[in-house]
Amino acid sequence: MASKTKVKLTFVEYAKEDLQRLEPEALAGLLRERVHHNIEVPLYPILVRGKAQPIEGFGLQAQLVFDVWRERGLPEDTPDIVWVKRYLDIAAKIRVGEPVPLEEPLPTPFTDEEMATVHKLIYQRRSIRDWLDKEVPDEMIDQILEAGRAAPIGCNLGHLRFIVLKGAEEKSWVWSDISTKNAAVIIVIAHDTRVACAVGQDKLVPQNPGYDAAAAADHMLLMAHALGLGAVWLSELKKTAKTSDLHIAVGWTAIGSIKSARPPLSEMVIRRPLASTKEGK
């Protein structure tokens, strides 16, 4: 079967020899993408149907990439590769028709207390552009970066990169519309173009890196707010670098600002079908 010897995507095709030559960062992105599209996406409809019939070739493209990853002696204990290996084990069971019991929890509604925290986080967050001359502890920066790492990302590519800038000199490396003469930290959200090129996203969905960066930035802003910090999203980076999608500035708020208000929801929702009701109810 072709899937045993080649990895075929919309704009890219790899033989095993090609995979041996890929840079580790690009190979890792391809591995995560193949597990996502070759196993994760088709898996759950199969499990919902509850059929245990063998599916020949299921997940073999992802397996081929991982085999090369292992042959090259690349790390297998990072969280993303552990995730990869779990799906590969499941795919192997699907190929021979073995049942795949999953015990992953379903979403449950938040309690009223938890929901109050969610509302506080979402509806009280605001953009801050004026900060005290007070350093942001590294521990808080770590929490903000971890929030960005947890954000949704297209095809689980893992191609986002975070650059933390402190001090006026470092912050001057990035063109921004805020003053760099304060203690606020700038976090640049960029992406590794090698990963997008390896999976063909640069041609198929070139907008995706910007979407991924936006999701990470939103998570970071919410975490900053939860930590009692003030932050702002800044996206004009054309004068800096093509791989830089946007940046955020984070610091201790100098003055409370009036939270911006949005138009009424009725003006923003263009179409919303109402829930169907039975006649007479």
Side-chain angles (χ1 to χ4, degrees), residues 34-67:
R34 280 295 81 194
V35 169
H36 170 68
H37 278 122
N38 194 221
I39 301 176
E40 185 177 34
V41 171
L43 172 65
Y44 294 99
I46 294 171
L47 298 183
V48 168
R49 291 196 298 267
K51 296 180 179 179
Q53 296 178 349
I55 301 178
E56 184 181 359
F58 187 84
L60 285 182
Q61 288 196 16
Q63 184 65 57
L64 172 60
V65 182
F66 179 72
D67 289 345

Side-chain angles (χ1 to χ4, degrees), residues 15-275:
K16 187 174 181 179
E17 301 75 38
D18 302 319
L19 299 175
Q20 293 281 6
R21 291 190 293 267
L22 277 181
E23 295 178 89
E25 295 82 2
L27 185 64
L30 177 62
L31 177 56
R32 290 186 292 262
E33 187 276 340
R34 280 295 81 194
V35 169
H36 170 68
H37 278 122
N38 194 221
I39 301 176
E40 185 177 34
V41 171
L43 172 65
Y44 294 99
I46 294 171
L47 298 183
V48 168
R49 291 196 298 267
K51 296 180 179 179
Q53 296 178 349
I55 301 178
E56 184 181 359
F58 187 84
L60 285 182
Q61 288 196 16
Q63 184 65 57
L64 172 60
V65 182
F66 179 72
D67 289 345
V68 172
W69 181 271
R70 173 168 283 175
E71 288 172 11
R72 293 176 60 173
L74 296 170
E76 295 186 27
D77 58 351
T78 58
D80 56 330
I81 304 303
V82 171
W83 171 85
V84 162
K85 291 193 290 186
R86 184 179 182 190
Y87 268 111
L88 290 174
D89 289 343
I90 292 173
K93 290 182 173 64
I94 294 291
R95 287 196 293 272
V96 297
E98 287 186 22
V100 181
L102 284 183
E103 298 180 354
E104 299 299 310
L106 297 176
T108 57
F110 282 17
T111 64
D112 291 342
E113 183 179 0
E114 290 170 332
M115 190 59 73
T117 300
V118 172
H119 278 252
K120 182 179 181 180
L121 183 64
I122 293 177
Y123 298 121
Q124 291 186 17
R125 190 213 63 81
R126 65 201 66 203
S127 294
I128 299 296
R129 294 177 175 82
D130 299 280
W131 298 275
L132 297 174
D133 190 18
K134 177 182 176 182
E135 293 292 328
V136 179
D138 287 338
E139 295 79 9
M140 288 187 170
I141 296 174
D142 287 343
Q143 290 185 70
I144 292 169
L145 295 173
E146 284 289 358
R149 188 172 77 95
I153 184 170
C155 305
N156 196 25
L157 285 190
H159 60 156
L160 293 185
R161 302 291 182 263
F162 305 142
I163 305 165
V164 180
L165 304 177
K166 294 183 177 181
E169 182 179 354
E170 285 191 2
K171 289 186 286 187
S172 69
W173 299 343
V174 175
W175 186 93
S176 183
D177 59 358
I178 62 167
S179 172
T180 59
K181 298 178 180 179
N182 51 59
V185 173
I186 285 182
I187 301 175
V188 178
I189 305 175
H191 67 275
D192 190 332
T193 57
R194 294 172 297 180
V195 177
C197 292
V199 302
Q201 278 201 359
D202 56 323
K203 298 180 178 64
L204 185 63
V205 281
Q207 71 279 4
N208 271 23
Y211 294 161
D212 296 336
D218 189 57
H219 273 48
M220 289 180 173
L221 293 179
L222 292 173
M223 178 58 77
H225 180 64
L227 293 171
L229 299 167
V232 64
W233 165 319
L234 302 160
S235 60
E236 180 53 71
L237 280 175
K238 292 181 180 178
K239 299 180 183 179
T240 303
K242 291 182 179 179
T243 57
S244 298
D245 297 292
L246 54 89
H247 62 288
I248 66 172
V250 184
W252 296 99
T253 304
I255 184 172
S257 63
I258 299 172
K259 180 173 172 57
S260 58
R262 307 291 187 258
L265 187 62
S266 59
E267 294 183 13
M268 300 178 71
V269 177
I270 297 175
R271 184 176 186 274
R272 178 184 176 180
L274 297 177

